[in-house]
Amino acid sequence: MHSPERTCVICKSKKLKSQLFRIAEKDGEYVLDEKQTIQARGQYVCKEHNCIQRLSKHKKLKVSFEELLKMLNLLKKESKDYLKIFKAMKNSGELSFGINMIFDEIEKIHFIVIANDISEKNNQKLIEKAREKNIPFVHYGEKRQLGEVFGKDEINVIAIKNKKVARGLIE
């Protein structure tokens, strides 16, 4: 079965339609097309804080504060609580954290969670490597929150090495 892919207007990554918000023009304004039924050309944005934040500053797509808020609230409802899952798994040996460790173990990685407040340079490095190796990733939480999982001050990124766990977190 074919799953339709679309490209995020912000980060240009290709994803399944279900992983993106659709924005359509209605009465001269860009609105969130939650049910994806508005008869107009749609634009797609990743269901990630980073892309929504960048959308708020987009020059051509002027999305109202209310619509951005709707997206963030939907994102909050949809997002899994990765922190609770990671805390339960921290001693399992199935998690890696830190950019260098993840790059060293990249062949064993099945899913990557990147902090929202990571530096742009490290964010790009991780995204490029994930795309190159076809590894799904999300932006979630802050470095401080990810660090709390392992009793560290800050952690930029956490990766899952177990294929079944990764699949469960993705779906």
Side-chain angles (χ1 to χ4, degrees), residues 68-115:
L68 291 167
L69 205 56
K70 273 189 212 172
M71 285 186 239
L72 289 171
N73 286 332
L74 284 170
L75 193 61
K76 195 182 284 184
K77 273 187 213 166
E78 285 182 15
S79 73
K80 295 176 172 58
D81 193 347
Y82 292 117
L83 298 177
K84 282 184 185 170
I85 296 166
F86 292 157
K87 283 179 183 171
M89 288 180 62
K90 75 177 181 187
N91 296 321
S92 68
E94 298 296 343
L95 299 178
S96 282
F97 62 88
I99 295 169
N100 294 337
M101 194 183 297
I102 287 169
F103 283 164
D104 290 347
E105 298 181 335
I106 198 73
E107 299 303 325
K108 300 174 192 163
I109 305 293
H110 298 285
F111 185 55
I112 299 173
V113 176
I114 305 168

Side-chain angles (χ1 to χ4, degrees), residues 29-60:
E29 291 186 28
Y30 285 102
V31 295
L32 172 63
D33 184 7
E34 214 175 318
K35 294 183 174 62
Q36 302 197 356
T37 56
I38 295 174
Q39 293 294 313
R41 184 168 286 282
Q43 308 280 345
Y44 293 86
V45 178
C46 293
K47 290 183 177 179
E48 296 179 15
H49 284 93
N50 194 23
C51 286
I52 295 170
Q53 184 179 358
R54 287 174 56 199
L55 173 66
S56 70
K57 299 171 189 147
H58 201 276
K59 300 262 188 276
K60 291 181 184 158

Side-chain angles (χ1 to χ4, degrees), residues 12-13 28 31 33 36 51 63 66 74 78 82 91 103-104 115 120 125 138 150 154 161-162 167:
K12 308 293 184 222
S13 64
V31 295
D33 184 7
Q36 302 197 356
C51 286
V63 179
E66 290 79 19
L74 284 170
E78 285 182 15
Y82 292 117
N91 296 321
F103 283 164
D104 290 347
E120 193 61 39
K125 260 201 268 185
V138 296
F150 296 97
E154 289 184 343
K161 296 188 273 187
N162 182 298
R167 199 175 313 124

